[in-house]
Amino acid sequence: MFSTPSVYARRLGMLASIITAVSLTTLLTAPTAAAAPPTPISATAALSYLATVTPKTEGTTTGYSRDLFPHWSTVSGTCNTRETVLKRDGSNVVQDSACAAVSGNWYSEYDGATWTAASDLDIDHVVPLAEAWRSGANSWTTAKRQQFANDLTRPQLIAVTDNVNQAKGDLDPGKWLPPRTAYRCTYARMWVDVKQYWGLSMDSTEKTALVNILNAC
């Protein structure tokens, strides 16, 4: 026995309602993305790259200035790179009309501290600007250095406790590592990822430290 068009219409309507309900349930129960920088290369990939690296004596900071690495660049509208990272790395972040973070929660991976005020956070360049300069960026154009200083595609920028970032300064992993040991493997992967992409050199102490960390990952 054939169903009438009206019966088909009702069945199609019921099916559409079920699909919509399932879709909404999936959206509501789906886990939110982790508040973190882009995922770095694996420890295995990082070690493979390091095996090809010939250590090079680090250059000097002669001629270096942070102004040669223009930051923070506008990303969209009134939002610059700093505010974009604060939004990305935090949870429940509220921004005002100027894109400044006025509230939220931030977990600093370097030291395990949690903050509710954006003023307590720095945006760390994983590979510091002065370190990049000594490793080859001194020969780049200012435009390329600007891209490096505002790189949101690689794991180069991360929101962390300001005092910890200031303690790091421009040191490489041979001289400084995050005090939270659980993050050191990720940090080493981030460092290698960034240096590999940007073609920056490594000195022997830096390379040895990275290999030792990654071998323990």
Side-chain angles (χ1 to χ4, degrees):
M1 181 175 182
F2 295 102
S3 299
T4 64
S6 60
V7 172
Y8 274 122
R10 286 198 298 274
R11 288 177 179 173
L12 288 172
M14 291 173 63
L15 181 59
S17 297
I18 292 170
I19 292 173
T20 300
V22 171
S23 298
L24 286 173
T25 300
T26 301
L27 287 172
L28 290 171
T29 58
T32 57
T39 303
I41 59 175
S42 67
T44 300
L47 283 167
S48 294
Y49 172 69
L50 287 171
T52 71
V53 172
T54 300
K56 182 179 179 180
T57 301
E58 196 168 79
T60 69
T61 51
T62 301
Y64 168 74
S65 168
R66 287 179 66 85
D67 293 339
L68 295 173
F69 293 79
H71 59 289
W72 305 107
S73 298
T74 299
V75 175
S76 177
T78 59
C79 299
N80 64 23
T81 312
R82 173 183 164 82
E83 298 300 343
T84 299
V85 174
L86 283 172
K87 177 71 172 180
R88 182 198 69 192
D89 290 1
S91 59
N92 302 315
V93 178
V94 176
Q95 296 171 306
D96 62 19
S97 59
C99 205
V102 294
S103 64
N105 292 279
W106 291 270
Y107 177 77
S108 171
E109 294 284 6
Y110 285 4
D111 59 332
T114 299
W115 303 98
T116 57
S119 59
D120 289 318
L121 298 147
D122 278 354
I123 305 304
D124 179 42
H125 289 95
V126 172
V127 175
L129 304 183
E131 165 67 18
W133 178 271
R134 296 189 297 262
S135 304
N138 60 319
S139 65
W140 294 352
T141 63
T142 299
K144 185 173 181 179
R145 287 191 288 263
Q146 181 173 10
Q147 292 172 354
F148 174 82
N150 297 276
D151 188 359
L152 292 166
T153 305
R154 262 63 53 182
Q156 162 67 342
L157 300 170
I158 183 172
V160 295
T161 302
D162 53 3
N163 291 340
V164 175
N165 181 53
Q166 290 153 26
K168 170 186 172 180
D170 63 354
L171 303 178
D172 68 39
K175 304 178 182 72
W176 185 92
L177 289 168
R180 180 172 162 255
T181 56
Y183 199 67
R184 290 181 179 179
C185 179
T186 301
Y187 182 78
R189 291 163 51 208
M190 294 164 77
W191 185 281
V192 175
D193 197 345
V194 173
K195 281 221 163 177
Q196 178 183 22
Y197 178 83
W198 289 98
L200 295 168
S201 65
M202 297 185 187
D203 63 39
S204 58
T205 303
E206 173 188 356
K207 178 182 175 179
T208 298
L210 290 165
V211 169
N212 290 339
I213 296 164
L214 292 166
N215 276 331
C217 289

